[in-house]
Amino acid sequence: AQKITQTQPGMFVQEKEAVTLDCTYDTSDQSYGLFWYKQPSSGEMIFLIYQGSYDEQNATEGRYSLNFQKARKSANLVISASQLGDSAMYFCAMTPRGTGKLIFGQGTTLQVKP
Amino acid sequence: GAGVSQSPSNKVTEKGKDVELRCDPISGHTALYWYRQSLGQGLEFLIYFQGNSAPDKSGLPSDRFSAERTGGSVSTLTIQRTQQEDSAVYLCASSPQGWGLGNTIYFGEGSWLTVV
């Protein structure tokens, strides 16, 4: 069965510094997609970044990058130059091949300190 | 509309009553999903509709939960005989297609259900 593990329930980072949020996954599929979503206190789920299992280069979207290490089955999110507005819960998720379902991790709460 | 729209945004109901939650997906999106998020927890998959295919109901927690999607667009999630453990945020999402890597899923703002 597929599973997403986020081992950091909470993280703190100083404003303007970079932070890495950990995500490991478990799947026997060769083809899958990995996502990160941000959930601020308002509750909406905001798509941040996507990485395909066959993509050789790490995905980047502005200040977000995904450190994809396929052999280790990890898909860590790196946020550069943290901003106060980055304070939120962050979810790692996976789409197994052939399904539309997202399987989510338990999330990491990030707090950015001024 | 521009995004996934859900109503009501907040609902307080008495234990034992039925509730209906509505979702209006992004226009043109063929796939629609319902997730549940309990306080401080991750998202739990409930049900998934893709076009005219039979829905994937594998995540529904009990037979008190049901969902339908009319005309391939609007969906209603119904919870019968609500119980306190049903209290959660119910998130609806849609995507352009139901499969394919990189098929980004967009979420609504959720319906906050409180059963008292």
Side-chain angles (χ1 to χ4, degrees), chain A residues 37 39 50 100-102 106, chain B residues 33 35 37 41 98 101-102 105:
Chain A
Y37 283 84
Q39 187 177 43
Y50 163 81
K101 293 189 291 190
L102 278 170
Q106 289 299 99
Chain B
Y33 315 77
Y35 286 82
Q37 185 177 26
Q41 300 297 311
L101 305 180
I105 298 174

Side-chain angles (χ1 to χ4, degrees), chain B residues 20-80:
Chain B
E20 287 189 349
L21 307 176
R22 176 190 166 103
C23 173
D24 200 344
I26 294 173
S27 178
H29 281 193
T30 63
L32 186 147
Y33 315 77
W34 283 98
Y35 286 82
R36 178 170 71 174
Q37 185 177 26
S38 301
L39 187 64
Q41 300 297 311
L43 275 73
E44 175 190 6
F45 167 78
L46 297 178
I47 189 168
Y48 157 55
F49 297 89
Q50 168 53 30
N52 296 322
S53 302
D56 178 349
K57 304 180 182 180
S58 60
L60 294 177
S62 76
D63 58 7
R64 296 186 296 105
F65 288 73
S66 63
E68 62 177 19
R69 188 179 185 192
T70 54
S73 181
V74 172
S75 176
T76 302
L77 176 69
T78 301
I79 309 172
Q80 296 178 311

Side-chain angles (χ1 to χ4, degrees), chain A:
Chain A
Q2 291 90 356
K3 184 180 179 182
I4 297 282
T5 302
Q6 294 180 252
T7 58
Q8 305 153 313
M11 292 277 288
F12 289 92
V13 65
Q14 204 68 35
E15 191 178 10
K16 299 181 184 178
E17 291 186 349
V19 63
T20 298
L21 306 183
D22 294 342
C23 172
T24 58
Y25 58 93
D26 187 16
T27 181
S28 57
D29 292 338
Q30 295 301 309
S31 181
Y32 48 87
L34 296 159
F35 298 79
W36 278 91
Y37 283 84
K38 172 185 178 181
Q39 187 177 43
S41 57
S42 59
E44 60 187 309
M45 293 287 285
I46 302 168
F47 165 74
L48 295 179
I49 196 167
Y50 163 81
Q51 178 85 41
S53 58
Y54 289 114
D55 294 340
E56 294 186 353
Q57 291 192 326
N58 288 340
T60 60
E61 290 287 347
R63 294 186 299 110
Y64 304 107
S65 61
L66 199 152
N67 184 359
F68 180 47
Q69 298 186 41
K70 191 171 182 177
R72 296 182 57 192
K73 293 187 176 178
S74 82
N76 298 340
L77 177 70
V78 180
I79 305 174
S80 63
S82 298
Q83 301 173 356
L84 295 178
D86 294 335
S87 294
M89 182 166 272
Y90 289 80
F91 289 97
C92 180
M94 177 173 68
T95 298
R97 178 181 175 82
T99 79
K101 293 189 291 190
L102 278 170
I103 299 167
F104 284 86
Q106 289 299 99
T108 296
T109 300
L110 176 67
Q111 292 191 28
V112 180
K113 294 182 174 180

